[in-house]
Amino acid sequence: MKINTFSILVGTAACNACCPYCISKMTGIKKAVREQKINWRNFEKACRLAQVNNVSTVLFTGKGEPMLFPKQITKFLEHMKRFEFPLIELQTNGLALGREFKKYEKYLEKWYKLGLNTIAISTAHYKKEKNKEIFTPHSDYIDLPGLIKKLHDMGFSIRLSCVLMKGFIDSLEEIKKLMEFAHQNEVEQLAVRKLGIEKESENKEVWKWCKEHALSEAEINKIKDFLEKNAKKLMTLAHGAIVYELNGQNICLTDCVMIHPKTDEIRTLIFFPDGHLRYD
């Protein structure tokens, strides 16, 4: 068995954004959002399983927004320190950090000392007003370049994770502009992925929005073809995604597929707070 990434679900389904394509809404969110007690016994076992399978990357993520539960992130980092995972990443929409950076600064300093390497910020566009449409339609969006600089100054690497959607980043020209934005802000990693649509959804409105905004395979292939012909191929990741470099900026075109049934490879081993381990 080979495991690519060890993902840890932080917190609850609580979130400070209202993304219309929210995967958590499609796969089900329970009404109760009380923070669960962590099954530390099983967490230690999960860490050991990841370790013996040579997992290099740990990702803090969640059904909701992980940054709403900073104390829990600290506890996870403290418990897993002895396993010495080389790459530790935190996925966030960036809103809490962008609005209350001072509040989180001491947490970030501690997390850096405990081994956190990369902050992966979810984004929908390079323009502030377009990100506002997705993340904060009823309030102002954050200063994303400013947040990136503050995190860089603390020593963190940045990944921008962008979902390709009609009306947002939906063409080759928009991809080029997104890459230029990343390059100007010295972003170490740029990942773009097509909009994931569940076959069965517990939220029909979200499913309908996704169907209406998902790019076609022809549109995705146009981007792939351009990168194949014009960019330098840096590496192919274990799950098949390719990392390219163009004009000094890397870009990874990936997807949301978790299961590869023809192999013994697990793309993501997922730890749930109640102690369960899942791979999808």
Side-chain angles (χ1 to χ4, degrees), residues 138-255:
H138 307 298
S139 60
D140 197 22
Y141 184 68
I142 61 171
D143 174 12
L144 183 56
L147 175 58
I148 292 170
K149 185 180 186 308
K150 288 177 182 177
L151 292 171
H152 272 153
D153 289 344
M154 296 188 77
F156 292 106
S157 292
I158 302 297
R159 179 189 305 122
L160 289 183
S161 298
C162 183
V163 178
L164 303 174
M165 300 175 289
K166 289 179 181 176
F168 295 86
I169 304 299
D170 58 2
S171 66
L172 193 51
E173 288 307 309
E174 288 297 299
I175 285 282
K176 290 177 182 177
K177 290 177 182 177
L178 178 65
M179 291 181 71
E180 179 58 27
F181 173 86
H183 187 57
Q184 288 177 353
N185 289 280
E186 301 180 343
V187 169
E188 285 83 0
Q189 301 173 35
L190 174 61
V192 297
R193 55 175 47 83
K194 64 181 181 180
L195 189 60
I197 306 174
E198 294 292 309
K199 291 181 180 179
E200 295 182 6
S201 173
E202 295 193 25
N203 187 308
K204 298 302 180 185
E205 287 185 13
V206 174
W207 186 87
K208 184 173 181 290
W209 195 96
C210 289
K211 286 287 287 184
E212 292 171 349
H213 290 79
L215 299 192
S216 67
E217 285 302 315
E219 290 168 316
I220 296 290
N221 287 334
K222 187 175 180 180
I223 296 169
K224 285 182 181 178
D225 291 344
F226 171 81
L227 292 173
E228 281 290 326
K229 293 174 182 176
N230 297 278
K232 178 182 178 182
K233 190 180 292 186
L234 298 180
M235 70 177 78
T236 300
L237 303 180
H239 57 277
I242 301 173
V243 181
Y244 301 92
E245 184 270 328
L246 182 66
N247 298 328
Q249 178 61 48
N250 66 59
I251 181 170
C252 178
L253 186 58
T254 185
D255 58 38

